[in-house]
Amino acid sequence: YLKQSPNENDDTYSVYKNITQRFSGYDTEDASTQEMTLDCQGGFCDITLQDSSFSTCIEKIPGDRYLGGLAKAGGVPQDSLHNFDLDLFCAEDFSGIDYNETKAQLKGDLLFLQGGTVQRTGPGFKYSNIFKSGGNTLTAGSNYYSGAREDTGGNKEIRILCQSGMCEVIIWSYFHPECSPPLGLPFLNGVAFNSAVPEESLEDFEIGLFCTPRGPGSTIDYEITPISTRKVSITPGDQRGIVHLTEDGVAYDLYEKSSE
């Protein structure tokens, strides 16, 4: 941990440096992928852990390897990141995660290594930082952001590509509950797409959700009417590299993903 000397007249000063990180790694016990978000402000930290198939949760939905759950810890003292637990919440069906009951507790226990790597010392899994904290402004060129969906536990991702005042916006999730799954797959069943959003309208525009057809080898037809149209707002976050996404009233903090 990094400490620094306080300002004499700063009543809100914390001796711990504020940290925002998003990590990616592998669960080497079952070959699933994991992503973890760490946000420490004023000496206290919120941690979210995603897994493409939490073994405790996936048996609740036979045949599905995605709608598992989400593990969370809030208000963890920054000097206790080496010793804390994450509460695991599971999806009982395709309606989403039930946050009324903790299904298990997972060891957090973070050890910070060199080069932006962190290790959960309990299972021994290592994660690399993928958060591009000093990234470009929201509309400069192509930007790619990702974060966690609270309802499914999977990723919510957006890509914004702006040229000459006009932006193409793609909002992607591993699974859209509104769309039927393609044959043989319980996921990758849709995408929200708008190819012509004026740059000055990113704070208030509409985007259509298009579902993947069920037939083998079928492709999405963007000429048809989308299954639903969503009200969207995309605004810069509290620091460079973070954006606020609001989609039909549901808010997300998304983190710019580094390509390095």
Side-chain angles (χ1 to χ4, degrees), residues 236-253:
D238 299 329
Q239 68 179 76
R240 286 173 62 86
I242 297 178
V243 299
H244 297 312
L245 168 67
T246 303
E247 187 179 15
D248 278 349
V250 181
Y252 306 87
D253 282 337

mmCIF file of all heavy atoms in Angstrom, residues 236-253:
data_model
loop_
_atom_site.group_PDB
_atom_site.id
_atom_site.type_symbol
_atom_site.label_atom_id
_atom_site.label_comp_id
_atom_site.label_asym_id
_atom_site.label_seq_id
_atom_site.Cartn_x
_atom_site.Cartn_y
_atom_site.Cartn_z
ATOM 1 N N PRO A 236 -18.985 11.049 -19.294
ATOM 2 C CA PRO A 236 -17.686 10.781 -18.658
ATOM 3 C C PRO A 236 -17.846 10.506 -17.171
ATOM 4 O O PRO A 236 -18.727 11.051 -16.504
ATOM 5 C CB PRO A 236 -16.903 12.076 -18.897
ATOM 6 C CG PRO A 236 -17.576 12.728 -20.069
ATOM 7 C CD PRO A 236 -19.021 12.367 -19.946
ATOM 8 N N GLY A 237 -16.995 9.621 -16.640
ATOM 9 C CA GLY A 237 -17.023 9.289 -15.227
ATOM 10 C C GLY A 237 -16.270 10.288 -14.380
ATOM 11 O O GLY A 237 -15.874 11.361 -14.842
ATOM 12 N N ASP A 238 -16.052 9.900 -13.127
ATOM 13 C CA ASP A 238 -15.390 10.782 -12.171
ATOM 14 C C ASP A 238 -13.888 10.882 -12.413
ATOM 15 O O ASP A 238 -13.232 11.764 -11.864
ATOM 16 C CB ASP A 238 -15.654 10.292 -10.741
ATOM 17 C CG ASP A 238 -17.136 10.297 -10.405
ATOM 18 O OD1 ASP A 238 -17.863 11.152 -10.953
ATOM 19 O OD2 ASP A 238 -17.568 9.454 -9.599
ATOM 20 N N GLN A 239 -13.338 9.968 -13.195
ATOM 21 C CA GLN A 239 -11.928 10.055 -13.561
ATOM 22 C C GLN A 239 -11.764 9.556 -14.979
ATOM 23 O O GLN A 239 -12.623 8.854 -15.527
ATOM 24 C CB GLN A 239 -11.055 9.233 -12.603
ATOM 25 C CG GLN A 239 -11.260 7.729 -12.707
ATOM 26 C CD GLN A 239 -10.359 6.969 -11.746
ATOM 27 O OE1 GLN A 239 -10.605 6.915 -10.543
ATOM 28 N NE2 GLN A 239 -9.306 6.381 -12.276
ATOM 29 N N ARG A 240 -10.660 9.935 -15.609
ATOM 30 C CA ARG A 240 -10.418 9.527 -16.979
ATOM 31 C C ARG A 240 -10.345 8.011 -17.062
ATOM 32 O O ARG A 240 -9.755 7.347 -16.226
ATOM 33 C CB ARG A 240 -9.123 10.156 -17.492
ATOM 34 C CG ARG A 240 -9.258 11.643 -17.783
ATOM 35 C CD ARG A 240 -7.903 12.258 -18.126
ATOM 36 N NE ARG A 240 -7.318 11.686 -19.325
ATOM 37 C CZ ARG A 240 -7.582 12.103 -20.554
ATOM 38 N NH1 ARG A 240 -8.443 13.108 -20.731
ATOM 39 N NH2 ARG A 240 -6.998 11.566 -21.597
ATOM 40 N N GLY A 241 -10.989 7.468 -18.100
ATOM 41 C CA GLY A 241 -11.000 6.029 -18.280
ATOM 42 C C GLY A 241 -12.254 5.351 -17.778
ATOM 43 O O GLY A 241 -12.435 4.155 -17.974
ATOM 44 N N ILE A 242 -13.160 6.099 -17.122
ATOM 45 C CA ILE A 242 -14.433 5.552 -16.637
ATOM 46 C C ILE A 242 -15.563 6.313 -17.300
ATOM 47 O O ILE A 242 -15.498 7.535 -17.465
ATOM 48 C CB ILE A 242 -14.550 5.670 -15.100
ATOM 49 C CG1 ILE A 242 -13.462 4.844 -14.412
ATOM 50 C CG2 ILE A 242 -15.925 5.208 -14.631
ATOM 51 C CD1 ILE A 242 -13.489 4.939 -12.899
ATOM 52 N N VAL A 243 -16.611 5.588 -17.716
ATOM 53 C CA VAL A 243 -17.808 6.231 -18.234
ATOM 54 C C VAL A 243 -19.013 5.741 -17.442
ATOM 55 O O VAL A 243 -19.020 4.621 -16.914
ATOM 56 C CB VAL A 243 -18.034 5.964 -19.745
ATOM 57 C CG1 VAL A 243 -16.885 6.501 -20.566
ATOM 58 C CG2 VAL A 243 -18.265 4.492 -20.023
ATOM 59 N N HIS A 244 -20.028 6.601 -17.369
ATOM 60 C CA HIS A 244 -21.319 6.238 -16.791
ATOM 61 C C HIS A 244 -22.259 5.890 -17.939
ATOM 62 O O HIS A 244 -22.477 6.711 -18.844
ATOM 63 C CB HIS A 244 -21.898 7.383 -15.971
ATOM 64 C CG HIS A 244 -21.082 7.769 -14.773
ATOM 65 N ND1 HIS A 244 -20.588 6.846 -13.867
ATOM 66 C CD2 HIS A 244 -20.670 8.982 -14.323
ATOM 67 C CE1 HIS A 244 -19.913 7.471 -12.913
ATOM 68 N NE2 HIS A 244 -19.946 8.770 -13.176
ATOM 69 N N LEU A 245 -22.802 4.695 -17.910
ATOM 70 C CA LEU A 245 -23.802 4.254 -18.883
ATOM 71 C C LEU A 245 -25.126 4.079 -18.162
ATOM 72 O O LEU A 245 -25.195 3.380 -17.144
ATOM 73 C CB LEU A 245 -23.385 2.940 -19.530
ATOM 74 C CG LEU A 245 -24.459 2.211 -20.350
ATOM 75 C CD1 LEU A 245 -24.814 3.002 -21.605
ATOM 76 C CD2 LEU A 245 -24.018 0.797 -20.714
ATOM 77 N N THR A 246 -26.171 4.730 -18.668
ATOM 78 C CA THR A 246 -27.523 4.501 -18.165
ATOM 79 C C THR A 246 -28.348 3.967 -19.324
ATOM 80 O O THR A 246 -28.426 4.586 -20.392
ATOM 81 C CB THR A 246 -28.156 5.788 -17.614
ATOM 82 O OG1 THR A 246 -27.318 6.320 -16.583
ATOM 83 C CG2 THR A 246 -29.537 5.500 -17.033
ATOM 84 N N GLU A 247 -28.959 2.803 -19.107
ATOM 85 C CA GLU A 247 -29.714 2.118 -20.158
ATOM 86 C C GLU A 247 -31.094 1.784 -19.606
ATOM 87 O O GLU A 247 -31.225 0.939 -18.713
ATOM 88 C CB GLU A 247 -28.963 0.861 -20.584
ATOM 89 C CG GLU A 247 -29.550 0.151 -21.775
ATOM 90 C CD GLU A 247 -28.728 -1.067 -22.157
ATOM 91 O OE1 GLU A 247 -27.896 -1.513 -21.345
ATOM 92 O OE2 GLU A 247 -28.931 -1.572 -23.265
ATOM 93 N N ASP A 248 -32.120 2.487 -20.099
ATOM 94 C CA ASP A 248 -33.489 2.322 -19.588
ATOM 95 C C ASP A 248 -33.534 2.448 -18.066
ATOM 96 O O ASP A 248 -34.173 1.661 -17.367
ATOM 97 C CB ASP A 248 -34.071 0.982 -20.020
ATOM 98 C CG ASP A 248 -34.631 1.032 -21.442
ATOM 99 O OD1 ASP A 248 -34.753 2.146 -21.999
ATOM 100 O OD2 ASP A 248 -34.949 -0.031 -21.988
ATOM 101 N N GLY A 249 -32.810 3.453 -17.550
ATOM 102 C CA GLY A 249 -32.837 3.747 -16.127
ATOM 103 C C GLY A 249 -31.885 2.941 -15.272
ATOM 104 O O GLY A 249 -31.740 3.215 -14.074
ATOM 105 N N VAL A 250 -31.210 1.927 -15.840
ATOM 106 C CA VAL A 250 -30.244 1.114 -15.095
ATOM 107 C C VAL A 250 -28.848 1.678 -15.326
ATOM 108 O O VAL A 250 -28.421 1.848 -16.469
ATOM 109 C CB VAL A 250 -30.297 -0.360 -15.536
ATOM 110 C CG1 VAL A 250 -29.296 -1.190 -14.739
ATOM 111 C CG2 VAL A 250 -31.706 -0.917 -15.371
ATOM 112 N N ALA A 251 -28.141 1.978 -14.235
ATOM 113 C CA ALA A 251 -26.847 2.657 -14.324
ATOM 114 C C ALA A 251 -25.691 1.674 -14.170
ATOM 115 O O ALA A 251 -25.748 0.724 -13.379
ATOM 116 C CB ALA A 251 -26.750 3.740 -13.259
ATOM 117 N N TYR A 252 -24.629 1.915 -14.928
ATOM 118 C CA TYR A 252 -23.404 1.118 -14.878
ATOM 119 C C TYR A 252 -22.204 2.050 -14.865
ATOM 120 O O TYR A 252 -22.213 3.095 -15.517
ATOM 121 C CB TYR A 252 -23.268 0.209 -16.102
ATOM 122 C CG TYR A 252 -24.434 -0.696 -16.386
ATOM 123 C CD1 TYR A 252 -25.503 -0.260 -17.163
ATOM 124 C CD2 TYR A 252 -24.465 -2.002 -15.895
ATOM 125 C CE1 TYR A 252 -26.577 -1.098 -17.445
ATOM 126 C CE2 TYR A 252 -25.531 -2.846 -16.176
ATOM 127 C CZ TYR A 252 -26.579 -2.396 -16.954
ATOM 128 O OH TYR A 252 -27.636 -3.218 -17.234
ATOM 129 N N ASP A 253 -21.162 1.671 -14.138
ATOM 130 C CA ASP A 253 -19.837 2.275 -14.290
ATOM 131 C C ASP A 253 -19.006 1.310 -15.121
ATOM 132 O O ASP A 253 -18.822 0.143 -14.743
ATOM 133 C CB ASP A 253 -19.170 2.504 -12.936
ATOM 134 C CG ASP A 253 -19.701 3.731 -12.225
ATOM 135 O OD1 ASP A 253 -20.232 4.626 -12.909
ATOM 136 O OD2 ASP A 253 -19.597 3.791 -10.988
#
